[in-house]
Amino acid sequence: MADYAAKPTKAKEDAGIIDQRKRMLAVFLNRCRRMSDVLEDGVYWRFLDPNSSWNEVLHAHPVSSVPKNNLKAPPLDPANPTPGHQWLPVPATSAKLKSSGITSSSGTPVSPPAQTFPSAAAHTTPGPQIFGRFPPAADRLSETDLDPYFINFEASTR
């Protein structure tokens, strides 16, 4: 990804960047496939449909109805904000997020959350452990719990 950031105009010609982006898209779509709310959404299916015009999707409801700032929309139904959502406060772009746990300099957690369960693919010793390449029992983890594993996996494939 650093190559892409350094030379974005060459990205369309770089097979390595294209392959990495294909892998990242496949991981993302597989994650989406496991979420019932996403599977029931028409935008997801229109994205997968090769005959659908993406320009039409972007300019039709529900995508066109989502506010410019997603903090001014209801989290479970962002395409249908109420007038009261316009009055919600939005933090300044310079605001710092408070961290609830120990993180590395890049902001990723350095140990798994307390509710994770060991797996045969992970470590065999009990106690706090560093993230491995594969998550233990991924079906019990939320998307934010899986992010460090995704980052480690992508780093290991470079």
Side-chain angles (χ1 to χ4, degrees):
M1 289 316 274
D3 295 338
Y4 176 75
K7 300 175 188 168
T9 56
K10 299 285 185 187
K12 291 181 180 179
E13 302 165 7
D14 189 343
I17 290 175
I18 293 169
D19 288 341
Q20 182 181 14
R21 293 188 73 191
K22 283 180 183 178
R23 286 192 311 272
M24 291 172 67
L25 178 61
V27 169
F28 174 75
L29 292 175
N30 281 325
R31 282 184 178 181
C32 290
R33 194 182 61 174
R34 293 186 205 117
M35 295 182 247
S36 61
D37 290 338
V38 174
L39 282 177
E40 295 167 5
D41 189 61
V43 175
Y44 177 75
W45 290 107
R46 289 185 68 187
F47 174 77
L48 296 176
D49 182 5
N51 301 319
S52 181
S53 166
W54 192 239
N55 195 34
E56 286 179 20
V57 173
L58 293 177
H59 292 91
H61 184 78
V63 177
S64 65
S65 303
V66 176
K68 297 266 186 243
N69 189 331
N70 62 354
L71 295 176
K72 292 193 177 245
L76 299 178
D77 192 10
N80 297 307
T82 64
H85 284 95
Q86 294 305 313
W87 296 98
L88 290 173
V90 177
T93 55
S94 61
K96 302 263 188 219
L97 293 175
K98 293 181 182 176
S99 176
S100 61
I102 301 170
T103 59
S104 68
S105 61
S106 66
T108 57
V110 294
S111 64
Q115 78 272 9
T116 58
F117 304 95
S119 73
H123 307 278
T124 55
T125 56
Q129 301 171 6
I130 305 301
F131 284 116
R133 182 170 177 190
F134 300 106
D139 58 324
R140 296 186 190 125
L141 300 176
S142 70
E143 288 299 306
T144 51
D145 294 334
L146 286 171
D147 283 340
Y149 293 102
F150 179 70
I151 292 167
N152 283 344
F153 174 75
E154 285 300 313
S156 71
T157 60
R158 289 185 192 150

